[in-house]
Coordinates of all heavy atoms in Angstrom, one line a residue:
F602 N 5.3 37.8 33.2 CA 4.1 38.6 32.9 C 3.9 39.6 34.0 O 2.8 40.3 34.1 CB 2.9 37.7 32.8 CG 3.0 36.8 31.6 CD1 3.0 35.4 31.8 CD2 3.1 37.3 30.3 CE1 3.0 34.6 30.7 CE2 3.1 36.4 29.2 CZ 3.1 35.1 29.4
N603 N 4.9 39.8 34.9 CA 4.7 40.7 36.0 C 5.9 41.7 36.2 O 5.6 42.8 36.6 CB 4.6 40.0 37.4 CG 3.4 39.1 37.4 OD1 3.4 37.9 37.2 ND2 2.2 39.7 37.8
E604 N 7.1 41.4 35.8 CA 8.2 42.3 36.0 C 9.1 42.2 34.7 O 9.2 41.2 34.0 CB 9.0 41.9 37.2 CG 9.5 40.5 37.3 CD 10.3 40.2 38.5 OE1 10.5 41.1 39.3 OE2 10.6 39.0 38.8
N605 N 9.7 43.4 34.4 CA 10.5 43.5 33.2 C 11.7 42.6 33.3 O 12.0 41.9 32.3 CB 10.9 45.0 33.1 CG 9.8 45.9 32.6 OD1 9.0 45.4 31.7 ND2 9.7 47.1 33.1
N606 N 12.4 42.5 34.4 CA 13.6 41.7 34.5 C 13.3 40.3 34.9 O 13.3 40.0 36.1 CB 14.6 42.4 35.5 CG 15.9 41.6 35.6 OD1 16.3 40.9 34.6 ND2 16.6 41.8 36.6
A607 N 13.0 39.5 33.9 CA 12.5 38.1 34.2 C 13.5 37.1 33.7 O 13.2 35.9 33.6 CB 11.2 37.8 33.6
G608 N 14.7 37.6 33.3 CA 15.8 36.6 32.8 C 15.5 36.0 31.4 O 15.8 34.9 31.2
L609 N 14.8 36.8 30.5 CA 14.5 36.3 29.2 C 15.6 36.5 28.2 O 16.3 37.6 28.3 CB 13.2 37.0 28.7 CG 11.9 36.8 29.5 CD1 10.8 37.6 28.9 CD2 11.6 35.3 29.6
P610 N 15.8 35.6 27.3 CA 16.7 35.9 26.2 C 16.2 36.9 25.2 O 15.0 37.3 25.3 CB 16.9 34.5 25.6 CG 15.6 33.8 25.8 CD 15.1 34.3 27.2
D611 N 17.0 37.3 24.2 CA 16.5 38.2 23.2 C 15.6 37.4 22.2 O 16.0 36.4 21.6 CB 17.7 38.7 22.4 CG 17.3 39.7 21.3 OD1 16.1 39.9 21.1 OD2 18.2 40.3 20.7
L612 N 14.4 37.9 22.1 CA 13.4 37.2 21.3 C 12.9 38.1 20.1 O 11.7 37.9 19.7 CB 12.2 36.7 22.2 CG 12.6 35.7 23.3 CD1 11.4 35.5 24.2 CD2 13.1 34.4 22.7
G613 N 13.6 39.1 19.8 CA 13.3 39.9 18.6 C 12.3 41.0 18.9 O 11.8 41.6 18.0
G614 N 12.2 41.4 20.2 CA 11.4 42.5 20.6 C 10.1 42.2 21.3 O 9.6 43.1 22.0
V615 N 9.6 41.0 21.2 CA 8.3 40.7 21.8 C 8.5 40.6 23.3 O 7.5 40.8 24.1 CB 7.8 39.3 21.3 CG1 8.6 38.2 21.8 CG2 6.3 39.1 21.7
E616 N 9.7 40.5 23.8 CA 10.0 40.4 25.2 C 10.3 41.7 25.9 O 10.5 41.8 27.1 CB 11.2 39.4 25.5 CG 12.5 40.1 25.3 CD 12.9 40.4 23.9 OE1 12.2 40.1 23.0 OE2 14.0 41.1 23.7
T617 N 10.2 42.8 25.2 CA 10.7 44.1 25.7 C 9.9 44.7 26.8 O 10.4 45.4 27.7 CB 10.9 45.1 24.6 OG1 9.6 45.2 23.9 CG2 12.0 44.7 23.6
T618 N 8.6 44.5 26.8 CA 7.7 45.1 27.9 C 6.8 44.0 28.4 O 6.4 43.1 27.7 CB 6.9 46.3 27.4 OG1 6.0 45.9 26.4 CG2 7.8 47.4 26.8
V619 N 6.3 44.2 29.6 CA 5.4 43.3 30.2 C 4.0 43.3 29.4 O 3.4 42.2 29.2 CB 5.1 43.6 31.7 CG1 4.0 42.8 32.3 CG2 6.4 43.3 32.5
S620 N 3.6 44.5 29.1 CA 2.3 44.5 28.3 C 2.4 43.8 27.0 O 1.5 43.1 26.6 CB 1.9 46.0 28.1 OG 2.9 46.7 27.4
K621 N 3.6 43.9 26.3 CA 3.7 43.3 25.0 C 3.8 41.8 25.2 O 3.2 41.0 24.4 CB 5.0 43.8 24.3 CG 5.1 43.2 22.9 CD 6.3 43.8 22.2 CE 6.2 45.3 21.9 NZ 7.3 45.8 21.0
R622 N 4.4 41.3 26.3 CA 4.5 39.9 26.5 C 3.1 39.3 26.8 O 2.8 38.2 26.3 CB 5.4 39.6 27.8 CG 6.8 40.0 27.6 CD 7.5 39.8 28.9 NE 8.7 40.5 29.1 CZ 9.4 40.8 30.2 NH1 8.9 40.3 31.3 NH2 10.5 41.5 30.2
T623 N 2.3 40.0 27.6 CA 1.0 39.5 27.9 C 0.1 39.5 26.7 O -0.7 38.6 26.5 CB 0.4 40.5 29.0 OG1 1.2 40.5 30.1 CG2 -1.0 39.9 29.4
R624 N 0.2 40.6 25.9 CA -0.6 40.7 24.7 C -0.3 39.5 23.7 O -1.2 39.0 23.0 CB -0.4 42.0 24.0 CG -1.4 42.4 22.9 CD -1.4 43.9 22.7 NE -0.1 44.4 22.2 CZ 0.7 45.2 22.9 NH1 0.3 45.6 24.0 NH2 1.8 45.6 22.3
H625 N 1.0 39.2 23.6 CA 1.4 38.1 22.6 C 1.9 36.9 23.4 O 2.9 36.3 23.0 CB 2.5 38.7 21.8 CG 2.2 40.0 21.1 ND1 1.1 40.1 20.3 CD2 2.9 41.2 21.1 CE1 1.1 41.4 19.8 NE2 2.2 42.0 20.3
R626 N 1.2 36.5 24.5 CA 1.7 35.5 25.4 C 2.0 34.1 24.7 O 3.0 33.5 25.0 CB 0.8 35.3 26.6 CG -0.7 35.1 26.2 CD -1.5 35.1 27.5 NE -2.9 35.1 27.3 CZ -3.7 36.1 27.1 NH1 -3.1 37.3 27.0 NH2 -5.0 36.0 26.9
R627 N 1.1 33.7 23.8 CA 1.4 32.4 23.2 C 2.5 32.5 22.2 O 3.4 31.5 22.2 CB 0.1 31.9 22.5 CG -0.9 31.2 23.4 CD -2.1 30.7 22.7 NE -3.0 29.9 23.5 CZ -3.8 30.4 24.5 NH1 -3.8 31.7 24.7 NH2 -4.5 29.6 25.2
A628 N 2.6 33.5 21.5 CA 3.8 33.7 20.6 C 5.1 33.7 21.4 O 6.1 33.1 21.1 CB 3.6 35.0 19.8
L629 N 5.0 34.4 22.5 CA 6.2 34.5 23.4 C 6.6 33.2 23.9 O 7.8 32.8 23.9 CB 5.9 35.5 24.6 CG 6.9 35.5 25.7 CD1 8.2 36.2 25.3 CD2 6.4 36.2 26.9
L630 N 5.6 32.4 24.4 CA 5.9 31.1 25.0 C 6.4 30.1 23.9 O 7.4 29.3 24.2 CB 4.7 30.5 25.7 CG 4.3 31.3 27.0 CD1 3.0 30.8 27.5 CD2 5.4 31.2 28.1
R631 N 5.9 30.2 22.7 CA 6.4 29.3 21.7 C 7.8 29.6 21.3 O 8.6 28.7 21.1 CB 5.5 29.4 20.4 CG 4.1 28.8 20.5 CD 3.5 28.5 19.2 NE 3.5 29.6 18.3 CZ 2.5 30.5 18.2 NH1 1.4 30.3 19.1 NH2 2.5 31.5 17.4
L632 N 8.1 30.9 21.3 CA 9.5 31.3 21.1 C 10.4 30.8 22.1 O 11.6 30.4 21.9 CB 9.6 32.9 21.0 CG 9.0 33.5 19.7 CD1 9.0 35.0 19.8 CD2 9.9 33.1 18.5

Side-chain angles (χ1 to χ4, degrees):
F602 297 117
N603 295 98
E604 56 182 352
N605 284 322
N606 185 18
L609 297 179
D611 184 355
L612 299 173
V615 71
E616 82 289 352
T617 52
T618 66
V619 170
S620 62
K621 187 177 289 189
R622 296 174 202 165
T623 305
R624 192 162 61 247
H625 307 305
R626 51 188 173 274
R627 279 183 171 75
L629 171 71
L630 293 171
R631 288 203 306 272
L632 287 171

